[in-house]
Amino acid sequence: MNAEQKKGRLRPTAKDSALACVLAAACAGNLAAAAGELHGTSLVDPFQDPLHVRPAALDTGVALPGDSAPPACPMDDRHGTDAEHPLTLDRAVDLALCRSPQVRAAWAAIKVQAATLGEARAAYWPTLNASVARQHTQTRYPDSPGASTSASGHTGYLSTSWRLLDFGTRAAQREAAGQSLVAALASHDAALQKTLSSVIGAYFDALAAEGGMRARDQASQLAQSTLEATRRREQRGVAPMSDALQAGTALAKARLAQQRATGDYRKALSVLTYAIGLAPASLAAAPIRLVDNELAEPADGSELQAREAMNELAQWMAQAQARHPAIAAARAQLAASEARVAAARAEGLPTLDLTGNFYQNGYPNQGLQLNRSQVTTVGVVLSIPLFEGFARTYKIRGAQAQTEQSEAQLADTRNQVLMEVVKAHADAVSALGNLESSQTLMNAAQASVASSQRRYAGGAADILELLATQSTLADAQQERVRCLAEWRSARLRLVASAGALGRQAVLKR
């Protein structure tokens, strides 16, 4: 025995070097993979989803009901701010769906739940841990200096564990994670429908405000021409001075209404700007320009066809209960809560694990052994929870309470969705009925103005009658535009309230 062996010094063997090389290579591989992820390379692609939990929707996108492809995000930055590219409804929908914070948050929630499902599936796989350390151990005996020892070397540790059997804990957790992922996907669809309904309402409100502003502009121009005609009649001595004064008052009133209509239009544009996800400052820099003929008069017979195509309220409510994504998400959350109750109960039952350990030159958190050693252990461990201080009882009760909460949320979501359907259906029926009435009012007001102008020119009518008919015409024009906007908005919002609105339906409006 040589001097180094007497002192208990251990030199690294070939196995030590090999283990160190393997661990170093693993560390280098992890660093390279991390670097590849940061730089967008494909080094980590094989390890992105080894358990296949990522839903296909994250790669292909989510298509709206009735559509064959997901909405396309506009690539340019004009956003309907110039005359050559006015903001159409379908473009406003695309901008809103691509920029909505609610939609982005729901999209991120899908990724979160997919990762949770991956964790639940990973519980079926074994775990492997390894460690290597360089140590120096020195033992001194003050009364016997010759007996002092010192040792330097490597220690290695390798352990594995594999759960072979439980009583449903992992299955229940996997079921809960899967239902939560289903709920996240449905919640994303619900966010899309909510965004569609919001942007459609904002778009047609802006169109109605623009139509009202134009109607008030025309009324102001008509009042200006009436004042000029009255002044000419006054100069010829045909009309008294009071007629010119009343015409001037009507003009001032028309201009005030024009200013208010302009303010309402600007406010509606601001709301639309927010709905499609643009910065408020962009409205001042480049105001949105809407399509001129978006509220064109419907073709003959189209109102009757729309009335015949309008389903009964019971059909819309049945469709919403069967298809609305918000209700589907609430149902999935209830199923996930029920699975968590089963998981909480199963966690208090026995488990069976297969374990294996390999120790070289010592044990973790202990000093280096003087002699080289290798220890291997293999065993089967049966764990039986006997008493947890009543924690299991309260955990089960908490899970059951969450299930009751999910049941109440499902009922509340169903009531909210059906209430929205009822309101949207009533709005659509009312708007459809208002179309015919507004057209009748428009025709009557135009005829009254034409008759009053002829009568006033012939001296058979006074200025009050003429101004009254002109005011009625301005109101009729504004009501006609409003009724057209309300009808087109209401029928699309009805489909969105039922959870079945797609981009193709928007294009076929």
Side-chain angles (χ1 to χ4, degrees), residues 51-91:
L51 300 182
H52 305 288
V53 298
R54 181 182 176 88
L58 291 178
D59 299 320
T60 61
V62 176
L64 294 167
D67 296 348
S68 59
C73 295
M75 300 302 295
D76 58 66
D77 295 329
R78 286 170 288 192
H79 308 308
T81 57
D82 53 40
E84 296 181 359
H85 302 87
L87 182 65
T88 59
L89 178 58
D90 55 324
R91 181 179 175 84

Side-chain angles (χ1 to χ4, degrees), residues 170-292:
R170 293 175 295 176
Q173 291 175 346
R174 183 181 60 182
E175 176 66 17
Q179 291 296 336
S180 296
L181 178 58
V182 173
L185 290 168
S187 297
H188 178 263
D189 293 340
L192 293 178
Q193 294 294 318
K194 184 178 180 180
T195 302
L196 282 173
S197 180
S198 176
V199 71
I200 286 171
Y203 186 84
F204 282 105
D205 286 346
L207 282 177
E210 183 183 35
M213 182 183 66
R214 292 180 178 178
R216 293 303 176 182
D217 289 344
Q218 294 176 1
S220 179
Q221 295 175 4
L222 184 59
Q224 178 67 38
S225 63
T226 300
L227 176 61
E228 294 174 356
T230 303
R231 286 175 176 174
R232 289 193 297 268
R233 289 170 57 85
E234 179 187 358
Q235 292 175 358
R236 294 196 303 267
V238 180
M241 182 182 300
S242 60
D243 286 0
L245 295 176
Q246 290 175 350
T249 303
L251 176 59
K253 184 178 179 180
R255 287 178 176 175
L256 176 60
Q258 178 185 4
Q259 290 295 327
R260 288 180 175 174
T262 302
D264 293 340
Y265 174 61
R266 291 175 179 174
K267 184 190 301 183
L269 282 185
S270 299
V271 174
L272 178 59
T273 301
Y274 175 80
I276 62 179
L278 297 181
S282 63
L283 185 62
I288 293 176
R289 184 180 182 277
L290 303 179
V291 180
D292 294 334

Side-chain angles (χ1 to χ4, degrees), residues 69-131:
C73 295
M75 300 302 295
D76 58 66
D77 295 329
R78 286 170 288 192
H79 308 308
T81 57
D82 53 40
E84 296 181 359
H85 302 87
L87 182 65
T88 59
L89 178 58
D90 55 324
R91 181 179 175 84
V93 165
D94 291 340
L95 286 170
L97 294 179
C98 293
R99 294 171 176 266
S100 171
Q102 294 180 349
V103 174
R104 294 202 305 268
W107 188 255
I110 297 176
K111 300 178 181 179
V112 172
Q113 294 303 327
T116 303
L117 178 59
E119 293 179 7
R121 289 186 180 179
Y124 288 88
W125 286 76
T127 60
L128 184 65
N129 296 294
S131 66

